[in-house]
Short mmCIF file of all heavy atoms in Angstrom, two decimals:
data_model
loop_
_atom_site.label_atom_id
_atom_site.label_comp_id
_atom_site.label_asym_id
_atom_site.label_seq_id
_atom_site.Cartn_x
_atom_site.Cartn_y
_atom_site.Cartn_z
N MET A 27 135.45 103.71 104.07
CA MET A 27 134.70 104.42 105.04
C MET A 27 133.33 103.78 105.18
O MET A 27 132.77 103.64 106.31
CB MET A 27 134.57 105.86 104.74
CG MET A 27 133.97 106.77 105.74
SD MET A 27 134.16 108.43 105.36
CE MET A 27 132.52 109.01 105.45
N GLY A 28 132.74 103.42 104.04
CA GLY A 28 131.43 102.80 104.10
C GLY A 28 131.43 101.48 104.83
O GLY A 28 130.51 101.13 105.49
N LEU A 29 132.53 100.73 104.71
CA LEU A 29 132.59 99.41 105.36
C LEU A 29 132.71 99.61 106.89
O LEU A 29 132.05 98.90 107.59
CB LEU A 29 133.86 98.71 104.84
CG LEU A 29 134.12 97.29 105.45
CD1 LEU A 29 132.92 96.37 105.01
CD2 LEU A 29 135.43 96.68 104.98
N VAL A 30 133.40 100.63 107.34
CA VAL A 30 133.48 100.91 108.71
C VAL A 30 132.07 101.37 109.30
O VAL A 30 131.71 100.87 110.39
CB VAL A 30 134.55 102.02 108.99
CG1 VAL A 30 134.52 102.53 110.45
CG2 VAL A 30 135.97 101.52 108.69
N LEU A 31 131.47 102.20 108.56
CA LEU A 31 130.12 102.69 108.97
C LEU A 31 129.05 101.53 109.05
O LEU A 31 128.30 101.44 109.94
CB LEU A 31 129.62 103.85 108.15
CG LEU A 31 130.46 105.09 108.22
CD1 LEU A 31 129.93 106.11 107.24
CD2 LEU A 31 130.42 105.70 109.64
N CYS A 32 129.10 100.69 108.01
CA CYS A 32 128.17 99.56 108.01
C CYS A 32 128.49 98.56 109.13
O CYS A 32 127.56 98.05 109.76
CB CYS A 32 128.24 98.85 106.67
SG CYS A 32 127.50 99.79 105.32
N SER A 33 129.74 98.23 109.39
CA SER A 33 130.08 97.37 110.40
C SER A 33 129.73 97.99 111.80
O SER A 33 129.20 97.28 112.77
CB SER A 33 131.50 96.95 110.40
OG SER A 33 132.37 98.09 110.61
N ASN A 34 129.95 99.28 111.92
CA ASN A 34 129.52 99.95 113.21
C ASN A 34 128.01 99.90 113.41
O ASN A 34 127.58 99.56 114.54
CB ASN A 34 130.07 101.45 113.18
CG ASN A 34 129.57 102.14 114.40
OD1 ASN A 34 129.73 101.71 115.50
ND2 ASN A 34 129.10 103.38 114.19
N ALA A 35 127.31 100.15 112.38
CA ALA A 35 125.84 100.14 112.52
C ALA A 35 125.32 98.74 112.85
O ALA A 35 124.45 98.55 113.78
CB ALA A 35 125.15 100.59 111.22
N SER A 36 125.89 97.70 112.18
CA SER A 36 125.41 96.39 112.56
C SER A 36 125.82 95.95 113.87
O SER A 36 125.07 95.19 114.57
CB SER A 36 125.90 95.38 111.47
OG SER A 36 127.32 95.31 111.47
N MET A 37 127.09 96.28 114.29
CA MET A 37 127.44 95.84 115.64
C MET A 37 126.59 96.50 116.70
O MET A 37 126.22 95.85 117.70
CB MET A 37 128.98 96.17 115.90
CG MET A 37 129.89 95.22 115.21
SD MET A 37 131.61 95.48 115.71
CE MET A 37 131.91 97.12 115.08
N VAL A 38 126.32 97.77 116.56
CA VAL A 38 125.54 98.43 117.56
C VAL A 38 124.10 97.97 117.53
O VAL A 38 123.49 97.76 118.60
CB VAL A 38 125.55 100.05 117.30
CG1 VAL A 38 124.56 100.72 118.13
CG2 VAL A 38 126.97 100.57 117.57
N TYR A 39 123.53 97.72 116.40
CA TYR A 39 122.18 97.21 116.22
C TYR A 39 122.05 95.86 116.92
O TYR A 39 121.11 95.59 117.64
CB TYR A 39 121.73 97.12 114.78
CG TYR A 39 120.32 96.63 114.68
CD1 TYR A 39 119.25 97.35 115.05
CD2 TYR A 39 120.07 95.33 114.26
CE1 TYR A 39 117.91 96.90 114.99
CE2 TYR A 39 118.82 94.86 114.10
CZ TYR A 39 117.72 95.61 114.49
OH TYR A 39 116.46 95.11 114.35
N PHE A 40 122.97 94.93 116.66
CA PHE A 40 122.94 93.58 117.20
C PHE A 40 123.24 93.55 118.72
O PHE A 40 122.70 92.77 119.48
CB PHE A 40 123.84 92.55 116.48
CG PHE A 40 123.33 92.30 115.11
CD1 PHE A 40 124.14 92.42 113.99
CD2 PHE A 40 121.98 91.84 114.95
CE1 PHE A 40 123.61 92.17 112.75
CE2 PHE A 40 121.60 91.52 113.67
CZ PHE A 40 122.39 91.69 112.50
N ALA A 41 124.05 94.46 119.15
CA ALA A 41 124.40 94.60 120.57
C ALA A 41 123.26 95.12 121.42
O ALA A 41 123.03 94.70 122.46
CB ALA A 41 125.70 95.35 120.84
N LEU A 42 122.67 96.29 120.91
CA LEU A 42 121.66 96.96 121.76
C LEU A 42 120.22 96.72 121.20
O LEU A 42 119.29 97.13 121.89
CB LEU A 42 121.95 98.44 121.72
CG LEU A 42 123.34 98.88 122.31
CD1 LEU A 42 123.58 100.27 122.16
CD2 LEU A 42 123.44 98.36 123.78
N ASP A 43 120.06 96.16 120.04
CA ASP A 43 118.79 95.82 119.46
C ASP A 43 117.87 97.13 119.39
O ASP A 43 116.69 97.14 119.64
CB ASP A 43 117.99 94.75 120.27
CG ASP A 43 116.93 94.08 119.48
OD1 ASP A 43 117.08 94.07 118.22
OD2 ASP A 43 115.98 93.64 120.06
N SER A 44 118.49 98.18 118.94
CA SER A 44 117.81 99.45 118.77
C SER A 44 118.28 100.11 117.46
O SER A 44 119.41 100.47 117.35
CB SER A 44 118.12 100.37 119.96
OG SER A 44 117.59 101.63 119.76
N LEU A 45 117.35 100.30 116.58
CA LEU A 45 117.63 100.94 115.35
C LEU A 45 118.00 102.42 115.48
O LEU A 45 118.89 102.93 114.89
CB LEU A 45 116.48 100.82 114.39
CG LEU A 45 116.70 101.31 112.93
CD1 LEU A 45 117.86 100.49 112.30
CD2 LEU A 45 115.40 101.19 112.12
N ARG A 46 117.31 103.04 116.38
CA ARG A 46 117.57 104.48 116.67
C ARG A 46 118.99 104.76 117.18
O ARG A 46 119.65 105.63 116.67
CB ARG A 46 116.56 105.05 117.65
CG ARG A 46 116.77 106.48 118.03
CD ARG A 46 115.82 106.90 119.14
NE ARG A 46 115.01 107.99 118.65
CZ ARG A 46 114.05 108.44 119.36
NH1 ARG A 46 113.82 108.05 120.61
NH2 ARG A 46 113.33 109.44 118.88
N VAL A 47 119.42 103.91 118.12
CA VAL A 47 120.79 104.06 118.66
C VAL A 47 121.85 103.75 117.64
O VAL A 47 122.88 104.38 117.50
CB VAL A 47 120.96 103.16 119.91
CG1 VAL A 47 122.37 103.24 120.39
CG2 VAL A 47 120.03 103.63 120.98
N ALA A 48 121.54 102.78 116.74
CA ALA A 48 122.47 102.39 115.71
C ALA A 48 122.65 103.54 114.75
O ALA A 48 123.72 103.81 114.28
CB ALA A 48 121.94 101.10 114.99
N VAL A 49 121.55 104.19 114.36
CA VAL A 49 121.66 105.34 113.42
C VAL A 49 122.43 106.51 114.02
O VAL A 49 123.24 107.06 113.36
CB VAL A 49 120.21 105.77 112.97
CG1 VAL A 49 120.25 107.05 112.13
CG2 VAL A 49 119.56 104.67 112.17
N VAL A 50 122.10 106.79 115.30
CA VAL A 50 122.77 107.92 115.92
C VAL A 50 124.29 107.67 116.07
O VAL A 50 125.10 108.49 115.78
CB VAL A 50 122.15 108.26 117.31
CG1 VAL A 50 122.95 109.22 118.08
CG2 VAL A 50 120.72 108.75 117.10
N THR A 51 124.64 106.49 116.46
CA THR A 51 126.08 106.14 116.67
C THR A 51 126.77 106.09 115.29
O THR A 51 127.93 106.50 115.23
CB THR A 51 126.28 104.87 117.42
OG1 THR A 51 125.62 103.79 116.78
CG2 THR A 51 125.84 105.00 118.90
N THR A 52 126.12 105.65 114.31
CA THR A 52 126.68 105.65 112.96
C THR A 52 126.89 107.00 112.43
O THR A 52 127.98 107.34 111.87
CB THR A 52 125.77 104.86 112.03
OG1 THR A 52 125.65 103.50 112.48
CG2 THR A 52 126.47 104.74 110.64
N LEU A 53 125.98 107.94 112.66
CA LEU A 53 126.14 109.36 112.33
C LEU A 53 127.35 109.98 113.05
O LEU A 53 128.16 110.73 112.51
CB LEU A 53 124.91 110.15 112.48
CG LEU A 53 123.79 109.77 111.48
CD1 LEU A 53 122.48 110.59 111.87
CD2 LEU A 53 124.18 110.10 110.08
N ALA A 54 127.41 109.59 114.36
CA ALA A 54 128.52 110.18 115.19
C ALA A 54 129.83 109.64 114.67
O ALA A 54 130.81 110.39 114.61
CB ALA A 54 128.30 109.83 116.61
N CYS A 55 129.86 108.38 114.36
CA CYS A 55 131.07 107.75 113.80
C CYS A 55 131.46 108.34 112.49
O CYS A 55 132.63 108.62 112.19
CB CYS A 55 130.90 106.25 113.66
SG CYS A 55 132.30 105.33 113.01
N SER A 56 130.48 108.67 111.64
CA SER A 56 130.69 109.33 110.37
C SER A 56 131.36 110.72 110.56
O SER A 56 132.23 111.06 109.79
CB SER A 56 129.40 109.40 109.53
OG SER A 56 129.56 110.22 108.44
N LEU A 57 130.80 111.46 111.50
CA LEU A 57 131.38 112.82 111.77
C LEU A 57 132.87 112.72 112.30
O LEU A 57 133.63 113.53 111.91
CB LEU A 57 130.51 113.55 112.75
CG LEU A 57 129.12 114.02 112.20
CD1 LEU A 57 128.31 114.60 113.32
CD2 LEU A 57 129.29 115.01 111.09
N LEU A 58 133.06 111.72 113.13
CA LEU A 58 134.42 111.56 113.69
C LEU A 58 135.37 111.12 112.59
O LEU A 58 136.52 111.71 112.51
CB LEU A 58 134.44 110.52 114.74
CG LEU A 58 133.93 111.01 116.14
CD1 LEU A 58 133.80 109.80 117.14
CD2 LEU A 58 134.77 112.09 116.71
N LEU A 59 134.98 110.27 111.67
CA LEU A 59 135.84 109.88 110.58
C LEU A 59 136.15 111.04 109.71
O LEU A 59 137.30 111.27 109.26
CB LEU A 59 135.21 108.76 109.81
CG LEU A 59 135.24 107.35 110.41
CD1 LEU A 59 134.38 106.42 109.60
CD2 LEU A 59 136.69 106.90 110.48
N GLN A 60 135.13 111.84 109.37
CA GLN A 60 135.38 113.00 108.48
C GLN A 60 136.16 114.03 109.16
O GLN A 60 137.06 114.68 108.44
CB GLN A 60 134.03 113.65 108.02
CG GLN A 60 133.25 112.69 107.08
CD GLN A 60 131.98 113.31 106.54
OE1 GLN A 60 131.64 114.46 106.89
NE2 GLN A 60 131.33 112.57 105.73
N ALA A 61 136.03 114.25 110.49
CA ALA A 61 136.87 115.29 111.13
C ALA A 61 138.34 114.77 111.18
O ALA A 61 139.28 115.61 111.04
CB ALA A 61 136.33 115.47 112.51
N GLY A 62 138.51 113.52 111.38
CA GLY A 62 139.90 112.92 111.37
C GLY A 62 140.51 113.07 110.01
O GLY A 62 141.66 113.38 109.91
N TYR A 63 139.75 112.80 108.98
CA TYR A 63 140.24 112.89 107.62
C TYR A 63 140.62 114.34 107.33
O TYR A 63 141.70 114.63 106.74
CB TYR A 63 139.21 112.45 106.62
CG TYR A 63 139.57 112.49 105.16
CD1 TYR A 63 140.45 111.54 104.68
CD2 TYR A 63 139.17 113.54 104.40
CE1 TYR A 63 140.87 111.64 103.34
CE2 TYR A 63 139.55 113.61 103.11
CZ TYR A 63 140.34 112.69 102.57
OH TYR A 63 140.78 112.76 101.26
N PHE A 64 139.76 115.31 107.67
CA PHE A 64 140.10 116.73 107.38
C PHE A 64 141.30 117.13 108.21
O PHE A 64 142.16 117.88 107.66
CB PHE A 64 138.81 117.56 107.84
CG PHE A 64 138.95 118.98 107.60
CD1 PHE A 64 138.99 119.52 106.26
CD2 PHE A 64 139.09 119.88 108.62
CE1 PHE A 64 139.12 120.81 106.03
CE2 PHE A 64 139.23 121.28 108.42
CZ PHE A 64 139.21 121.74 107.07
N GLY A 65 141.36 116.69 109.48
CA GLY A 65 142.61 117.04 110.27
C GLY A 65 143.84 116.50 109.66
O GLY A 65 144.90 117.16 109.66
N ARG A 66 143.74 115.26 109.20
CA ARG A 66 144.96 114.68 108.58
C ARG A 66 145.37 115.41 107.29
O ARG A 66 146.52 115.59 107.09
CB ARG A 66 144.69 113.18 108.28
CG ARG A 66 145.84 112.45 107.66
CD ARG A 66 146.95 112.35 108.66
NE ARG A 66 148.05 111.65 108.03
CZ ARG A 66 149.29 111.57 108.48
NH1 ARG A 66 149.62 112.22 109.59
NH2 ARG A 66 150.19 110.90 107.87
N VAL A 67 144.39 115.85 106.50
CA VAL A 67 144.73 116.58 105.26
C VAL A 67 145.40 117.88 105.63
O VAL A 67 146.39 118.37 105.04
CB VAL A 67 143.51 116.79 104.42
CG1 VAL A 67 143.75 117.83 103.34
CG2 VAL A 67 143.04 115.43 103.81
N LEU A 68 144.83 118.59 106.65
CA LEU A 68 145.45 119.88 107.08
C LEU A 68 146.84 119.58 107.61
O LEU A 68 147.82 120.44 107.38
CB LEU A 68 144.67 120.47 108.17
CG LEU A 68 143.30 121.13 107.69
CD1 LEU A 68 142.56 121.73 108.87
CD2 LEU A 68 143.56 122.18 106.69
N PHE A 69 147.12 118.55 108.31
CA PHE A 69 148.44 118.19 108.85
C PHE A 69 149.44 117.91 107.73
O PHE A 69 150.57 118.39 107.75
CB PHE A 69 148.34 117.01 109.79
CG PHE A 69 149.72 116.52 110.26
CD1 PHE A 69 150.41 117.30 111.23
CD2 PHE A 69 150.30 115.44 109.74
CE1 PHE A 69 151.64 116.85 111.65
CE2 PHE A 69 151.49 115.00 110.16
CZ PHE A 69 152.24 115.75 111.15
N LEU A 70 148.98 117.22 106.73
CA LEU A 70 149.81 116.93 105.60
C LEU A 70 150.21 118.22 104.78
O LEU A 70 151.31 118.41 104.36
CB LEU A 70 149.17 115.90 104.63
CG LEU A 70 149.22 114.52 105.18
CD1 LEU A 70 148.33 113.57 104.25
CD2 LEU A 70 150.53 113.91 105.34
N ILE A 71 149.15 119.15 104.67
CA ILE A 71 149.48 120.40 103.98
C ILE A 71 150.49 121.19 104.81
O ILE A 71 151.42 121.80 104.25
CB ILE A 71 148.19 121.20 103.78
CG1 ILE A 71 147.35 120.47 102.73
CG2 ILE A 71 148.45 122.61 103.35
CD1 ILE A 71 145.92 120.96 102.61
N TRP A 72 150.30 121.27 106.09
CA TRP A 72 151.16 121.98 107.01
C TRP A 72 152.60 121.36 106.94
O TRP A 72 153.58 122.08 106.86
CB TRP A 72 150.70 121.95 108.38
CG TRP A 72 151.67 122.54 109.39
CD1 TRP A 72 151.96 123.83 109.61
CD2 TRP A 72 152.42 121.79 110.34
NE1 TRP A 72 152.87 123.90 110.61
CE2 TRP A 72 153.27 122.69 111.04
CE3 TRP A 72 152.68 120.34 110.53
CZ2 TRP A 72 154.17 122.26 111.97
CZ3 TRP A 72 153.54 120.01 111.48
CH2 TRP A 72 154.25 120.99 112.16
N GLN A 73 152.72 120.08 107.02
CA GLN A 73 153.98 119.41 106.88
C GLN A 73 154.67 119.63 105.58
O GLN A 73 155.90 119.93 105.55
CB GLN A 73 153.76 117.97 107.14
CG GLN A 73 155.03 117.13 107.35
CD GLN A 73 154.76 115.60 107.54
OE1 GLN A 73 153.70 115.09 107.25
NE2 GLN A 73 155.66 114.95 108.20
N SER A 74 153.92 119.63 104.49
CA SER A 74 154.52 119.87 103.19
C SER A 74 155.00 121.31 103.07
O SER A 74 156.04 121.58 102.53
CB SER A 74 153.48 119.56 102.11
OG SER A 74 153.91 119.96 100.86
N SER A 75 154.28 122.29 103.55
CA SER A 75 154.66 123.66 103.48
C SER A 75 155.92 123.95 104.36
O SER A 75 156.75 124.73 103.98
CB SER A 75 153.53 124.51 103.81
OG SER A 75 153.16 124.45 105.19
N SER A 76 155.92 123.29 105.58
CA SER A 76 157.05 123.50 106.37
C SER A 76 158.38 122.85 105.79
O SER A 76 159.42 123.45 105.95
CB SER A 76 156.83 123.00 107.82
OG SER A 76 156.79 121.53 107.75
N ARG A 77 158.18 121.79 105.08
CA ARG A 77 159.32 121.21 104.36
C ARG A 77 159.83 122.09 103.27
O ARG A 77 160.98 122.24 103.04
CB ARG A 77 159.01 119.78 103.81
CG ARG A 77 159.08 118.74 104.81
CD ARG A 77 158.83 117.40 104.13
NE ARG A 77 158.74 116.30 105.09
CZ ARG A 77 158.18 115.20 104.84
NH1 ARG A 77 157.63 114.90 103.67
NH2 ARG A 77 158.09 114.32 105.79
N ALA A 78 158.87 122.69 102.53
CA ALA A 78 159.21 123.56 101.45
C ALA A 78 159.94 124.80 101.93
O ALA A 78 160.95 125.25 101.33
CB ALA A 78 157.97 123.93 100.71
N ARG A 79 159.52 125.32 103.04
CA ARG A 79 160.23 126.52 103.63
C ARG A 79 161.61 126.12 104.09
O ARG A 79 162.50 126.81 104.01
CB ARG A 79 159.44 127.00 104.81
CG ARG A 79 158.36 127.99 104.32
CD ARG A 79 157.66 128.64 105.56
NE ARG A 79 156.54 127.71 105.91
CZ ARG A 79 156.29 127.36 107.16
NH1 ARG A 79 156.96 127.77 108.14
NH2 ARG A 79 155.27 126.51 107.36
N GLY A 80 161.72 124.90 104.63
CA GLY A 80 163.10 124.41 105.10
C GLY A 80 164.06 124.22 103.99
O GLY A 80 165.17 124.49 104.14
N THR A 81 163.57 123.72 102.86
CA THR A 81 164.49 123.55 101.76
C THR A 81 164.91 124.81 101.10
O THR A 81 165.99 124.94 100.61
CB THR A 81 163.90 122.60 100.70
OG1 THR A 81 162.65 123.16 100.25
CG2 THR A 81 163.70 121.17 101.21
N ARG A 82 164.12 125.87 101.21
CA ARG A 82 164.53 127.18 100.68
C ARG A 82 165.67 127.70 101.50
O ARG A 82 166.55 128.30 100.95
CB ARG A 82 163.37 128.15 100.74
CG ARG A 82 162.61 128.14 99.40
CD ARG A 82 161.65 129.25 99.40
NE ARG A 82 160.30 128.64 99.46
CZ ARG A 82 159.28 129.12 100.21
NH1 ARG A 82 159.39 130.19 100.91
NH2 ARG A 82 158.17 128.51 100.19
N HIS A 83 165.63 127.53 102.77
CA HIS A 83 166.70 128.08 103.61
C HIS A 83 168.02 127.28 103.54
O HIS A 83 169.05 127.73 103.77
CB HIS A 83 166.26 128.17 105.09
CG HIS A 83 165.14 129.12 105.26
ND1 HIS A 83 165.20 130.51 104.95
CD2 HIS A 83 163.84 128.95 105.71
CE1 HIS A 83 164.09 131.05 105.27
NE2 HIS A 83 163.26 130.18 105.69
N ARG A 84 167.88 125.96 103.21
CA ARG A 84 169.01 125.13 103.11
C ARG A 84 169.65 125.18 101.69
O ARG A 84 170.51 124.43 101.40
CB ARG A 84 168.71 123.69 103.39
CG ARG A 84 168.26 123.50 104.83
CD ARG A 84 168.08 122.02 105.14
NE ARG A 84 167.05 121.93 106.17
CZ ARG A 84 165.99 121.19 106.14
NH1 ARG A 84 165.73 120.44 105.10
NH2 ARG A 84 165.17 121.22 107.16
N GLY A 85 169.23 126.08 100.88
CA GLY A 85 169.72 126.19 99.51
C GLY A 85 171.13 126.75 99.45
O GLY A 85 171.79 126.68 98.38
N GLN A 86 171.64 127.35 100.47
CA GLN A 86 173.01 127.88 100.47
C GLN A 86 174.01 126.80 100.83
O GLN A 86 173.69 125.91 101.60
CB GLN A 86 173.06 129.02 101.42
CG GLN A 86 172.26 130.26 101.04
CD GLN A 86 172.43 131.41 101.96
OE1 GLN A 86 172.92 131.15 103.13
NE2 GLN A 86 172.05 132.51 101.62
N HIS A 87 175.20 127.01 100.31
CA HIS A 87 176.33 126.14 100.65
C HIS A 87 176.96 126.60 101.96
O HIS A 87 176.61 127.66 102.50
CB HIS A 87 177.41 126.14 99.56
CG HIS A 87 176.89 125.48 98.28
ND1 HIS A 87 176.80 124.09 98.17
CD2 HIS A 87 176.46 125.93 97.11
CE1 HIS A 87 176.33 123.79 97.00
NE2 HIS A 87 176.14 124.88 96.33
N ALA A 88 177.82 125.85 102.51
CA ALA A 88 178.41 126.16 103.79
C ALA A 88 179.19 127.48 103.76
O ALA A 88 179.25 128.23 104.77
CB ALA A 88 179.34 125.03 104.27
N ASP A 89 179.82 127.85 102.61
CA ASP A 89 180.56 129.11 102.55
C ASP A 89 179.70 130.26 102.06
O ASP A 89 180.23 131.33 101.91
CB ASP A 89 181.74 128.93 101.61
CG ASP A 89 181.36 128.51 100.17
OD1 ASP A 89 180.13 128.39 99.98
OD2 ASP A 89 182.26 128.41 99.31
N GLY A 90 178.39 130.10 101.99
CA GLY A 90 177.48 131.17 101.65
C GLY A 90 177.23 131.36 100.21
O GLY A 90 176.39 132.18 99.86
N ASN A 91 177.83 130.61 99.31
CA ASN A 91 177.60 130.76 97.86
C ASN A 91 176.33 130.01 97.50
O ASN A 91 176.04 128.98 98.06
CB ASN A 91 178.74 130.15 97.05
CG ASN A 91 180.01 130.95 97.23
OD1 ASN A 91 179.96 132.13 97.43
ND2 ASN A 91 181.17 130.28 96.97
N ARG A 92 175.58 130.66 96.66
CA ARG A 92 174.27 130.07 96.19
C ARG A 92 174.52 129.22 94.95
O ARG A 92 173.72 128.33 94.69
CB ARG A 92 173.21 131.06 95.93
CG ARG A 92 172.77 131.66 97.21
CD ARG A 92 171.62 132.66 96.87
NE ARG A 92 171.04 133.14 98.07
CZ ARG A 92 169.75 132.78 98.51
NH1 ARG A 92 169.04 131.98 97.78
NH2 ARG A 92 169.31 133.28 99.61
N LYS A 93 175.49 129.56 94.18
CA LYS A 93 175.74 128.77 92.95
C LYS A 93 176.52 127.45 93.21
O LYS A 93 177.32 127.40 94.04
CB LYS A 93 176.58 129.60 91.93
CG LYS A 93 175.80 130.81 91.41
CD LYS A 93 176.62 131.54 90.48
CE LYS A 93 175.90 132.73 89.96
NZ LYS A 93 176.68 133.49 88.93
N ALA A 94 176.06 126.43 92.43
CA ALA A 94 176.76 125.18 92.56
C ALA A 94 178.15 125.27 91.87
O ALA A 94 178.29 125.97 90.87
CB ALA A 94 175.91 124.13 91.86
N ARG A 95 179.07 124.69 92.45
CA ARG A 95 180.45 124.72 91.89
C ARG A 95 180.56 123.69 90.81
O ARG A 95 180.13 122.54 91.00
CB ARG A 95 181.44 124.43 92.96
CG ARG A 95 181.46 125.56 94.03
CD ARG A 95 182.55 125.21 95.00
NE ARG A 95 182.49 126.23 96.06
CZ ARG A 95 183.14 126.21 97.13
NH1 ARG A 95 183.86 125.13 97.40
NH2 ARG A 95 183.07 127.19 98.01
N VAL A 96 181.06 124.10 89.65
CA VAL A 96 181.25 123.24 88.61
C VAL A 96 182.74 122.81 88.58
O VAL A 96 183.63 123.65 88.50
CB VAL A 96 180.94 123.87 87.22
CG1 VAL A 96 181.13 122.90 86.06
CG2 VAL A 96 179.44 124.36 87.24
N PRO A 97 183.05 121.55 88.59
CA PRO A 97 184.48 121.05 88.62
C PRO A 97 185.11 121.44 87.26
O PRO A 97 184.57 121.32 86.25
CB PRO A 97 184.39 119.59 88.78
CG PRO A 97 183.02 119.23 88.44
CD PRO A 97 182.11 120.42 88.67
N VAL A 98 186.37 121.94 87.43
CA VAL A 98 187.14 122.28 86.20
C VAL A 98 187.83 120.97 85.69
O VAL A 98 188.55 120.31 86.45
CB VAL A 98 188.17 123.30 86.58
CG1 VAL A 98 189.03 123.67 85.31
CG2 VAL A 98 187.53 124.54 87.11
N VAL A 99 187.65 120.71 84.49
CA VAL A 99 188.24 119.45 83.87
C VAL A 99 189.50 119.78 83.10
O VAL A 99 189.73 120.75 82.55
CB VAL A 99 187.23 118.81 82.94
CG1 VAL A 99 187.78 117.46 82.38
CG2 VAL A 99 185.97 118.53 83.64
#
């Protein structure tokens, strides 16, 4: 994240030759990166919980038995 922010600041500074604009755009980029990271974490938590709920419902066998059948030897 630091590398992205430093490269963003240097590119904006060299392109526009303004330290103020470079700082403002770097702060905006930082906020966007953090919001994206937070959104991704929430998405992964939601995806994990939906998978966990799905496996609970799939715990039954086709004939409705919950116990696993043990083959008779």
